[in-house]
Amino acid sequence: MYKRISSVLFPIVSVLLIGSLIWGYQQYQQRNTVAMKSENQYQRSFHDLSYHMDRIHSELGNTLAVSSASDGMHKKGLMNVWMLTSQAQGEINQLPLSMLPFNETEELLSRISKFAYQTSLRDLHEKPLTDQEKANLKTLYKNAAEINKDLDKVQLSVLSDHLKWGDAEVAMTSQGKKQKQNAIVDGFRAVDEKVGKYPPLEWSPSVSSLYEKRTIRKLDGVPVTSEDIKRKAQKFADLNNPNIQVIENGKGTDYRSYTAIVTAQDGHKISMDFTASGGLLISYNDEREVGAKQVDRDTAISKADRFLEKKGYREMKAVAYNAYDNLGNITYVREHDDVLVYPEKITVRVGLDNGEVIGIQASEFLNEHKDDREFAEPKIKLKDARAKLNPDFEVAFTRKALIKNEFSEEVLCYQFGGKINNTMYRIYINTDTGVEEAVEEIPAPTEGSKM
């Protein structure tokens, strides 16, 4: 009997064993193939990065070598620097450096890219390179040479010692243990440390503004106390006898603020941030649980409109709406003298279960708000600006808008909303120069509306 059973089971077990071995070998081969593809991608990205960094150094040198009156060559050189730095940034993003501090080098490349792009857009005949910009280029040329020298050492080690990026990943992820030594990791860390020690350059305001911490600027106003914040928080939350805890942030600095945590009698919480000068609201967050979606976009916007009006935010107009599951995000800008002032922006979050406001972010509004804004008369008529549009662009609405251009300068524009290629866009044309300052796609849910 046992012989009969074994004679039946043995072939089955043998087949299963052989099958599992084949499956395991296939999985092993697949993992090896994936690992090899990743390694090849990393190696290609690294060698491309080294090449483009060397090209950046050469283009900076070419730009400095020509006559100060050669605005055409300056423009060409700076445009090449911008393209090369953009490629280098992309190659860094393709390397497994997320756990390796390389932010100093990435930020330097980002600043170079922004500076080169903005300067190349400028009319260098009318506004040639300043002495400070030339000094910056000389410093960057010197820095690029040093970075290239260090990257060349890493590249030489990779090629001569057949180093693998997979081993570098292992070394970077060995947290909580003694860090494993790795020539790639050590080389990149050395480059970043050296870049971090470079003296800061005097960049233009438009470049520097991109890297400033997103904090509320120092505002004028009467300093407020914790008790003042309690009263303001209770009034804004509109709750009876809540428990309010106030925390002071940034004590001893010019950018102090307060956080008020309001707890209702049923235990539900609302947190609010206020400025220390004037007690102005920075943000509002109702932590209630939001139920299933019940209300549409128009209802949500209508309720948000009334909420802002009640809380003292007047002249605000909804310009964008996006829904994510049971939440709706509405962007408002101030409408003053029939001009949409885009820098003065407030973002409102609503719960789509009942349409009530559950969040506000007003930091940009506080930073940019001006009571005394005046707008000059346009030098270009609306019909002339409209004539500059693509003939295929179907205009649905027009209005005036104040925006910030790529140089962080406020410019008054004609805003044209319409469709081309079955997609809605807003196009901004400068009312003084007729230049297209910006183009942005309008998300599909707002199609047909004036958002």
PDB file of all heavy atoms in Angstrom, residues 272-301:
ATOM      1  N   MET A 272      -5.423  77.628  14.765  1.00  0.00           N
ATOM      2  CA  MET A 272      -5.262  78.868  14.009  1.00  0.00           C
ATOM      3  C   MET A 272      -3.903  79.483  14.305  1.00  0.00           C
ATOM      4  O   MET A 272      -3.436  79.421  15.440  1.00  0.00           O
ATOM      5  CB  MET A 272      -6.369  79.865  14.388  1.00  0.00           C
ATOM      6  CG  MET A 272      -7.741  79.521  13.858  1.00  0.00           C
ATOM      7  SD  MET A 272      -9.033  80.607  14.544  1.00  0.00           S
ATOM      8  CE  MET A 272      -9.531  79.648  15.964  1.00  0.00           C
ATOM      9  N   ASP A 273      -3.282  80.054  13.291  1.00  0.00           N
ATOM     10  CA  ASP A 273      -2.034  80.800  13.461  1.00  0.00           C
ATOM     11  C   ASP A 273      -2.310  82.274  13.241  1.00  0.00           C
ATOM     12  O   ASP A 273      -3.037  82.648  12.309  1.00  0.00           O
ATOM     13  CB  ASP A 273      -0.972  80.321  12.461  1.00  0.00           C
ATOM     14  CG  ASP A 273      -0.480  78.914  12.762  1.00  0.00           C
ATOM     15  OD1 ASP A 273      -0.511  78.527  13.938  1.00  0.00           O
ATOM     16  OD2 ASP A 273      -0.069  78.209  11.824  1.00  0.00           O
ATOM     17  N   PHE A 274      -1.717  83.128  14.106  1.00  0.00           N
ATOM     18  CA  PHE A 274      -1.895  84.577  14.024  1.00  0.00           C
ATOM     19  C   PHE A 274      -0.539  85.265  14.056  1.00  0.00           C
ATOM     20  O   PHE A 274       0.415  84.764  14.655  1.00  0.00           O
ATOM     21  CB  PHE A 274      -2.723  85.098  15.208  1.00  0.00           C
ATOM     22  CG  PHE A 274      -4.149  84.641  15.235  1.00  0.00           C
ATOM     23  CD1 PHE A 274      -4.504  83.461  15.873  1.00  0.00           C
ATOM     24  CD2 PHE A 274      -5.148  85.396  14.630  1.00  0.00           C
ATOM     25  CE1 PHE A 274      -5.823  83.036  15.906  1.00  0.00           C
ATOM     26  CE2 PHE A 274      -6.465  84.988  14.660  1.00  0.00           C
ATOM     27  CZ  PHE A 274      -6.806  83.803  15.298  1.00  0.00           C
ATOM     28  N   THR A 275      -0.450  86.432  13.427  1.00  0.00           N
ATOM     29  CA  THR A 275       0.767  87.244  13.507  1.00  0.00           C
ATOM     30  C   THR A 275       0.858  87.875  14.888  1.00  0.00           C
ATOM     31  O   THR A 275      -0.156  88.164  15.527  1.00  0.00           O
ATOM     32  CB  THR A 275       0.770  88.350  12.449  1.00  0.00           C
ATOM     33  OG1 THR A 275      -0.348  89.224  12.677  1.00  0.00           O
ATOM     34  CG2 THR A 275       0.684  87.771  11.048  1.00  0.00           C
ATOM     35  N   ALA A 276       2.087  88.103  15.354  1.00  0.00           N
ATOM     36  CA  ALA A 276       2.277  88.748  16.661  1.00  0.00           C
ATOM     37  C   ALA A 276       2.041  90.247  16.572  1.00  0.00           C
ATOM     38  O   ALA A 276       1.740  90.888  17.577  1.00  0.00           O
ATOM     39  CB  ALA A 276       3.688  88.470  17.178  1.00  0.00           C
ATOM     40  N   SER A 277       2.185  90.807  15.369  1.00  0.00           N
ATOM     41  CA  SER A 277       1.896  92.228  15.156  1.00  0.00           C
ATOM     42  C   SER A 277       0.522  92.343  14.494  1.00  0.00           C
ATOM     43  O   SER A 277       0.333  91.907  13.366  1.00  0.00           O
ATOM     44  CB  SER A 277       2.955  92.878  14.261  1.00  0.00           C
ATOM     45  OG  SER A 277       4.211  92.844  14.879  1.00  0.00           O
ATOM     46  N   GLY A 278      -0.413  92.888  15.206  1.00  0.00           N
ATOM     47  CA  GLY A 278      -1.754  93.080  14.667  1.00  0.00           C
ATOM     48  C   GLY A 278      -2.696  91.922  14.874  1.00  0.00           C
ATOM     49  O   GLY A 278      -3.912  92.060  14.723  1.00  0.00           O
ATOM     50  N   GLY A 279      -2.174  90.727  15.195  1.00  0.00           N
ATOM     51  CA  GLY A 279      -3.039  89.578  15.423  1.00  0.00           C
ATOM     52  C   GLY A 279      -3.823  89.171  14.192  1.00  0.00           C
ATOM     53  O   GLY A 279      -5.004  88.826  14.273  1.00  0.00           O
ATOM     54  N   LEU A 280      -3.177  89.177  13.012  1.00  0.00           N
ATOM     55  CA  LEU A 280      -3.854  88.823  11.764  1.00  0.00           C
ATOM     56  C   LEU A 280      -3.787  87.315  11.529  1.00  0.00           C
ATOM     57  O   LEU A 280      -2.778  86.670  11.843  1.00  0.00           O
ATOM     58  CB  LEU A 280      -3.204  89.558  10.594  1.00  0.00           C
ATOM     59  CG  LEU A 280      -3.165  91.090  10.702  1.00  0.00           C
ATOM     60  CD1 LEU A 280      -2.377  91.691   9.560  1.00  0.00           C
ATOM     61  CD2 LEU A 280      -4.580  91.657  10.736  1.00  0.00           C
ATOM     62  N   LEU A 281      -4.851  86.769  10.967  1.00  0.00           N
ATOM     63  CA  LEU A 281      -4.916  85.331  10.751  1.00  0.00           C
ATOM     64  C   LEU A 281      -3.970  84.904   9.630  1.00  0.00           C
ATOM     65  O   LEU A 281      -3.996  85.461   8.533  1.00  0.00           O
ATOM     66  CB  LEU A 281      -6.344  84.913  10.388  1.00  0.00           C
ATOM     67  CG  LEU A 281      -6.547  83.411  10.184  1.00  0.00           C
ATOM     68  CD1 LEU A 281      -6.605  82.705  11.531  1.00  0.00           C
ATOM     69  CD2 LEU A 281      -7.805  83.125   9.387  1.00  0.00           C
ATOM     70  N   ILE A 282      -3.141  83.889   9.912  1.00  0.00           N
ATOM     71  CA  ILE A 282      -2.249  83.303   8.904  1.00  0.00           C
ATOM     72  C   ILE A 282      -2.884  82.045   8.322  1.00  0.00           C
ATOM     73  O   ILE A 282      -2.928  81.857   7.105  1.00  0.00           O
ATOM     74  CB  ILE A 282      -0.880  82.952   9.518  1.00  0.00           C
ATOM     75  CG1 ILE A 282      -0.226  84.183  10.134  1.00  0.00           C
ATOM     76  CG2 ILE A 282       0.024  82.323   8.468  1.00  0.00           C
ATOM     77  CD1 ILE A 282       1.007  83.867  10.962  1.00  0.00           C
ATOM     78  N   SER A 283      -3.401  81.197   9.200  1.00  0.00           N
ATOM     79  CA  SER A 283      -4.025  79.957   8.727  1.00  0.00           C
ATOM     80  C   SER A 283      -5.087  79.496   9.707  1.00  0.00           C
ATOM     81  O   SER A 283      -5.088  79.867  10.885  1.00  0.00           O
ATOM     82  CB  SER A 283      -2.972  78.853   8.538  1.00  0.00           C
ATOM     83  OG  SER A 283      -2.386  78.507   9.782  1.00  0.00           O
ATOM     84  N   TYR A 284      -5.997  78.666   9.191  1.00  0.00           N
ATOM     85  CA  TYR A 284      -7.121  78.148   9.975  1.00  0.00           C
ATOM     86  C   TYR A 284      -7.333  76.710   9.565  1.00  0.00           C
ATOM     87  O   TYR A 284      -7.335  76.393   8.371  1.00  0.00           O
ATOM     88  CB  TYR A 284      -8.361  78.992   9.668  1.00  0.00           C
ATOM     89  CG  TYR A 284      -9.692  78.446  10.135  1.00  0.00           C
ATOM     90  CD1 TYR A 284     -10.193  78.732  11.400  1.00  0.00           C
ATOM     91  CD2 TYR A 284     -10.463  77.653   9.293  1.00  0.00           C
ATOM     92  CE1 TYR A 284     -11.426  78.258  11.810  1.00  0.00           C
ATOM     93  CE2 TYR A 284     -11.705  77.166   9.694  1.00  0.00           C
ATOM     94  CZ  TYR A 284     -12.181  77.467  10.954  1.00  0.00           C
ATOM     95  OH  TYR A 284     -13.406  76.991  11.353  1.00  0.00           O
ATOM     96  N   ASN A 285      -7.466  75.810  10.543  1.00  0.00           N
ATOM     97  CA  ASN A 285      -7.635  74.392  10.219  1.00  0.00           C
ATOM     98  C   ASN A 285      -8.621  73.742  11.180  1.00  0.00           C
ATOM     99  O   ASN A 285      -8.343  73.602  12.365  1.00  0.00           O
ATOM    100  CB  ASN A 285      -6.287  73.660  10.290  1.00  0.00           C
ATOM    101  CG  ASN A 285      -6.406  72.202   9.894  1.00  0.00           C
ATOM    102  OD1 ASN A 285      -7.108  71.873   8.943  1.00  0.00           O
ATOM    103  ND2 ASN A 285      -5.737  71.334  10.621  1.00  0.00           N
ATOM    104  N   ASP A 286      -9.784  73.385  10.651  1.00  0.00           N
ATOM    105  CA  ASP A 286     -10.806  72.675  11.412  1.00  0.00           C
ATOM    106  C   ASP A 286     -10.548  71.183  11.259  1.00  0.00           C
ATOM    107  O   ASP A 286     -10.569  70.659  10.139  1.00  0.00           O
ATOM    108  CB  ASP A 286     -12.194  73.051  10.872  1.00  0.00           C
ATOM    109  CG  ASP A 286     -13.324  72.498  11.728  1.00  0.00           C
ATOM    110  OD1 ASP A 286     -13.114  71.467  12.398  1.00  0.00           O
ATOM    111  OD2 ASP A 286     -14.422  73.094  11.725  1.00  0.00           O
ATOM    112  N   GLU A 287     -10.301  70.495  12.381  1.00  0.00           N
ATOM    113  CA  GLU A 287      -9.874  69.100  12.326  1.00  0.00           C
ATOM    114  C   GLU A 287     -11.034  68.103  12.332  1.00  0.00           C
ATOM    115  O   GLU A 287     -10.825  66.915  12.565  1.00  0.00           O
ATOM    116  CB  GLU A 287      -8.922  68.811  13.492  1.00  0.00           C
ATOM    117  CG  GLU A 287      -7.659  69.643  13.450  1.00  0.00           C
ATOM    118  CD  GLU A 287      -6.728  69.389  14.629  1.00  0.00           C
ATOM    119  OE1 GLU A 287      -6.970  68.417  15.370  1.00  0.00           O
ATOM    120  OE2 GLU A 287      -5.771  70.165  14.805  1.00  0.00           O
ATOM    121  N   ARG A 288     -12.232  68.574  12.073  1.00  0.00           N
ATOM    122  CA  ARG A 288     -13.375  67.650  12.092  1.00  0.00           C
ATOM    123  C   ARG A 288     -13.248  66.606  10.983  1.00  0.00           C
ATOM    124  O   ARG A 288     -12.613  66.842   9.938  1.00  0.00           O
ATOM    125  CB  ARG A 288     -14.691  68.421  11.924  1.00  0.00           C
ATOM    126  CG  ARG A 288     -14.974  68.893  10.502  1.00  0.00           C
ATOM    127  CD  ARG A 288     -16.390  69.442  10.397  1.00  0.00           C
ATOM    128  NE  ARG A 288     -16.689  69.954   9.055  1.00  0.00           N
ATOM    129  CZ  ARG A 288     -17.115  69.191   8.053  1.00  0.00           C
ATOM    130  NH1 ARG A 288     -17.250  67.883   8.213  1.00  0.00           N
ATOM    131  NH2 ARG A 288     -17.389  69.732   6.869  1.00  0.00           N
ATOM    132  N   GLU A 289     -13.850  65.450  11.195  1.00  0.00           N
ATOM    133  CA  GLU A 289     -13.827  64.396  10.192  1.00  0.00           C
ATOM    134  C   GLU A 289     -14.839  64.726   9.101  1.00  0.00           C
ATOM    135  O   GLU A 289     -16.002  65.034   9.382  1.00  0.00           O
ATOM    136  CB  GLU A 289     -14.166  63.046  10.831  1.00  0.00           C
ATOM    137  CG  GLU A 289     -14.031  61.870   9.892  1.00  0.00           C
ATOM    138  CD  GLU A 289     -14.222  60.539  10.584  1.00  0.00           C
ATOM    139  OE1 GLU A 289     -14.129  60.507  11.824  1.00  0.00           O
ATOM    140  OE2 GLU A 289     -14.461  59.539   9.889  1.00  0.00           O
ATOM    141  N   VAL A 290     -14.408  64.687   7.860  1.00  0.00           N
ATOM    142  CA  VAL A 290     -15.271  65.031   6.731  1.00  0.00           C
ATOM    143  C   VAL A 290     -15.924  63.764   6.194  1.00  0.00           C
ATOM    144  O   VAL A 290     -15.251  62.759   5.935  1.00  0.00           O
ATOM    145  CB  VAL A 290     -14.459  65.726   5.613  1.00  0.00           C
ATOM    146  CG1 VAL A 290     -15.368  66.063   4.438  1.00  0.00           C
ATOM    147  CG2 VAL A 290     -13.789  66.975   6.159  1.00  0.00           C
ATOM    148  N   GLY A 291     -17.264  63.829   6.018  1.00  0.00           N
ATOM    149  CA  GLY A 291     -18.005  62.673   5.529  1.00  0.00           C
ATOM    150  C   GLY A 291     -17.995  62.571   4.023  1.00  0.00           C
ATOM    151  O   GLY A 291     -17.239  63.261   3.324  1.00  0.00           O
ATOM    152  N   ALA A 292     -18.864  61.716   3.506  1.00  0.00           N
ATOM    153  CA  ALA A 292     -18.939  61.483   2.066  1.00  0.00           C
ATOM    154  C   ALA A 292     -19.418  62.731   1.332  1.00  0.00           C
ATOM    155  O   ALA A 292     -20.151  63.564   1.886  1.00  0.00           O
ATOM    156  CB  ALA A 292     -19.884  60.317   1.791  1.00  0.00           C
ATOM    157  N   LYS A 293     -19.000  62.863   0.073  1.00  0.00           N
ATOM    158  CA  LYS A 293     -19.347  64.035  -0.728  1.00  0.00           C
ATOM    159  C   LYS A 293     -20.859  64.120  -0.951  1.00  0.00           C
ATOM    160  O   LYS A 293     -21.502  63.161  -1.375  1.00  0.00           O
ATOM    161  CB  LYS A 293     -18.624  63.956  -2.074  1.00  0.00           C
ATOM    162  CG  LYS A 293     -18.901  65.145  -2.981  1.00  0.00           C
ATOM    163  CD  LYS A 293     -18.127  65.028  -4.289  1.00  0.00           C
ATOM    164  CE  LYS A 293     -18.458  66.188  -5.217  1.00  0.00           C
ATOM    165  NZ  LYS A 293     -17.718  66.108  -6.491  1.00  0.00           N
ATOM    166  N   GLN A 294     -21.403  65.332  -0.672  1.00  0.00           N
ATOM    167  CA  GLN A 294     -22.838  65.563  -0.819  1.00  0.00           C
ATOM    168  C   GLN A 294     -23.155  66.828  -1.616  1.00  0.00           C
ATOM    169  O   GLN A 294     -24.248  66.954  -2.157  1.00  0.00           O
ATOM    170  CB  GLN A 294     -23.502  65.676   0.577  1.00  0.00           C
ATOM    171  CG  GLN A 294     -23.393  64.443   1.440  1.00  0.00           C
ATOM    172  CD  GLN A 294     -24.270  63.304   0.954  1.00  0.00           C
ATOM    173  OE1 GLN A 294     -25.267  63.517   0.272  1.00  0.00           O
ATOM    174  NE2 GLN A 294     -23.879  62.074   1.281  1.00  0.00           N
ATOM    175  N   VAL A 295     -22.196  67.780  -1.670  1.00  0.00           N
ATOM    176  CA  VAL A 295     -22.482  69.074  -2.293  1.00  0.00           C
ATOM    177  C   VAL A 295     -21.647  69.258  -3.555  1.00  0.00           C
ATOM    178  O   VAL A 295     -20.571  68.680  -3.702  1.00  0.00           O
ATOM    179  CB  VAL A 295     -22.228  70.252  -1.319  1.00  0.00           C
ATOM    180  CG1 VAL A 295     -23.075  70.110  -0.068  1.00  0.00           C
ATOM    181  CG2 VAL A 295     -20.754  70.342  -0.943  1.00  0.00           C
ATOM    182  N   ASP A 296     -22.155  70.091  -4.484  1.00  0.00           N
ATOM    183  CA  ASP A 296     -21.444  70.332  -5.739  1.00  0.00           C
ATOM    184  C   ASP A 296     -20.541  71.555  -5.623  1.00  0.00           C
ATOM    185  O   ASP A 296     -20.498  72.227  -4.586  1.00  0.00           O
ATOM    186  CB  ASP A 296     -22.435  70.498  -6.901  1.00  0.00           C
ATOM    187  CG  ASP A 296     -23.398  71.661  -6.681  1.00  0.00           C
ATOM    188  OD1 ASP A 296     -23.130  72.516  -5.791  1.00  0.00           O
ATOM    189  OD2 ASP A 296     -24.422  71.729  -7.381  1.00  0.00           O
ATOM    190  N   ARG A 297     -19.845  71.836  -6.711  1.00  0.00           N
ATOM    191  CA  ARG A 297     -18.886  72.935  -6.725  1.00  0.00           C
ATOM    192  C   ARG A 297     -19.539  74.279  -6.449  1.00  0.00           C
ATOM    193  O   ARG A 297     -19.037  75.069  -5.638  1.00  0.00           O
ATOM    194  CB  ARG A 297     -18.181  72.981  -8.087  1.00  0.00           C
ATOM    195  CG  ARG A 297     -17.066  74.006  -8.159  1.00  0.00           C
ATOM    196  CD  ARG A 297     -16.640  74.247  -9.583  1.00  0.00           C
ATOM    197  NE  ARG A 297     -17.657  74.975 -10.309  1.00  0.00           N
ATOM    198  CZ  ARG A 297     -17.472  75.574 -11.476  1.00  0.00           C
ATOM    199  NH1 ARG A 297     -16.312  75.505 -12.061  1.00  0.00           N
ATOM    200  NH2 ARG A 297     -18.451  76.217 -12.082  1.00  0.00           N
ATOM    201  N   ASP A 298     -20.653  74.577  -7.103  1.00  0.00           N
ATOM    202  CA  ASP A 298     -21.292  75.883  -6.938  1.00  0.00           C
ATOM    203  C   ASP A 298     -21.706  76.126  -5.499  1.00  0.00           C
ATOM    204  O   ASP A 298     -21.560  77.242  -4.973  1.00  0.00           O
ATOM    205  CB  ASP A 298     -22.503  75.994  -7.866  1.00  0.00           C
ATOM    206  CG  ASP A 298     -22.106  76.045  -9.334  1.00  0.00           C
ATOM    207  OD1 ASP A 298     -20.927  76.359  -9.611  1.00  0.00           O
ATOM    208  OD2 ASP A 298     -22.959  75.768 -10.204  1.00  0.00           O
ATOM    209  N   THR A 299     -22.228  75.090  -4.833  1.00  0.00           N
ATOM    210  CA  THR A 299     -22.628  75.225  -3.432  1.00  0.00           C
ATOM    211  C   THR A 299     -21.415  75.480  -2.551  1.00  0.00           C
ATOM    212  O   THR A 299     -21.449  76.331  -1.649  1.00  0.00           O
ATOM    213  CB  THR A 299     -23.353  73.951  -2.961  1.00  0.00           C
ATOM    214  OG1 THR A 299     -24.492  73.719  -3.786  1.00  0.00           O
ATOM    215  CG2 THR A 299     -23.798  74.078  -1.513  1.00  0.00           C
ATOM    216  N   ALA A 300     -20.337  74.740  -2.809  1.00  0.00           N
ATOM    217  CA  ALA A 300     -19.117  74.908  -2.010  1.00  0.00           C
ATOM    218  C   ALA A 300     -18.563  76.323  -2.158  1.00  0.00           C
ATOM    219  O   ALA A 300     -18.186  76.966  -1.169  1.00  0.00           O
ATOM    220  CB  ALA A 300     -18.075  73.878  -2.437  1.00  0.00           C
ATOM    221  N   ILE A 301     -18.523  76.835  -3.389  1.00  0.00           N
ATOM    222  CA  ILE A 301     -17.992  78.186  -3.620  1.00  0.00           C
ATOM    223  C   ILE A 301     -18.907  79.224  -2.984  1.00  0.00           C
ATOM    224  O   ILE A 301     -18.428  80.193  -2.369  1.00  0.00           O
ATOM    225  CB  ILE A 301     -17.824  78.444  -5.131  1.00  0.00           C
ATOM    226  CG1 ILE A 301     -16.717  77.558  -5.699  1.00  0.00           C
ATOM    227  CG2 ILE A 301     -17.501  79.921  -5.395  1.00  0.00           C
ATOM    228  CD1 ILE A 301     -16.550  77.651  -7.201  1.00  0.00           C
TER     229      ILE A 301
END
